[in-house]
Amino acid sequence: MPRDASQKLKILLVLEILKKYSASYIFCTNEEEYCIGGEEDLERNVMEHIFTFNQSISPEKTKESETYQVLMKKTKAVPGFEDLAALGAKLTKVFIFSNDVEMLGKLKEELQTLPNVAVSSSFYNNLEVTDLKAQKGPVLKKYIEDLGYSMEE
């Protein structure tokens, strides 16, 4: 299977799994970011994204922040998962946010059954989904070894 076809299949499989769970999603490409829903969903997803990484900021201050402004400009709302798939955009990462930790655990388990998909988490209330080859650790390890060093050095 050609690489592009394999990538599209992987994205479709990830989207099929995500459809079953109620969470906030931000889908990243090299150019833009997307969320599912309308403008209200876009604002909620951007707010949740910011709160995940900076929980001490108030909602009022969040909307005044440069990060909020940049994410609101960069992120586009699409009506549904099918619309996102139809765009044909090459997804590089999916951020998933929810305070339902049990649901996130089930979602993580299901996503981990997919080949060549890596699932990690920065906080208790989020997941990050990437291509297995896009993880920093293995890339850094290869770079260090290419320079003639080992990870222990």
Side-chain angles (χ1 to χ4, degrees), residues 25 27 34-38 41-42 44-45 76-81 84:
Y25 304 104
F27 301 89
Y34 298 92
C35 78
I36 304 299
D41 299 300
L42 170 60
R44 181 176 40 83
N45 286 341
K76 311 283 186 254
V78 292
F81 286 97
L84 180 63

Side-chain angles (χ1 to χ4, degrees), residues 51-103:
F51 285 141
T52 295
F53 298 103
N54 187 356
Q55 295 179 355
S56 63
I57 192 168
S58 72
E60 297 79 28
K61 290 283 186 197
T62 298
K63 287 185 178 184
E64 296 169 4
S65 73
E66 183 179 345
T67 302
Y68 177 83
Q69 301 303 319
V70 168
L71 286 174
M72 286 298 289
K73 262 186 207 166
K74 188 178 179 181
T75 310
K76 311 283 186 254
V78 292
F81 286 97
E82 293 78 12
D83 303 287
L84 180 63
L87 289 173
K90 184 178 178 195
L91 296 179
T92 56
K93 182 180 265 192
V94 180
F95 286 103
I96 304 166
F97 309 97
S98 176
N99 286 320
D100 185 341
V101 177
E102 185 179 331
M103 181 274 299

Side-chain angles (χ1 to χ4, degrees), residues 10-29:
K10 186 184 335 178
I11 289 169
L12 291 174
L13 291 171
V14 168
L15 293 178
E16 282 301 311
I17 291 172
L18 296 181
K19 274 198 249 186
K20 297 187 274 183
Y21 295 89
S22 178
S24 294
Y25 304 104
I26 293 189
F27 301 89
C28 304
T29 70

Side-chain angles (χ1 to χ4, degrees), residues 112-131:
Q112 287 177 322
T113 66
L114 297 175
N116 299 314
V117 171
V119 184
S120 61
S121 178
S122 302
F123 296 92
Y124 74 94
N125 63 343
N126 88 313
L127 296 174
E128 299 169 20
V129 182
T130 59
D131 186 292

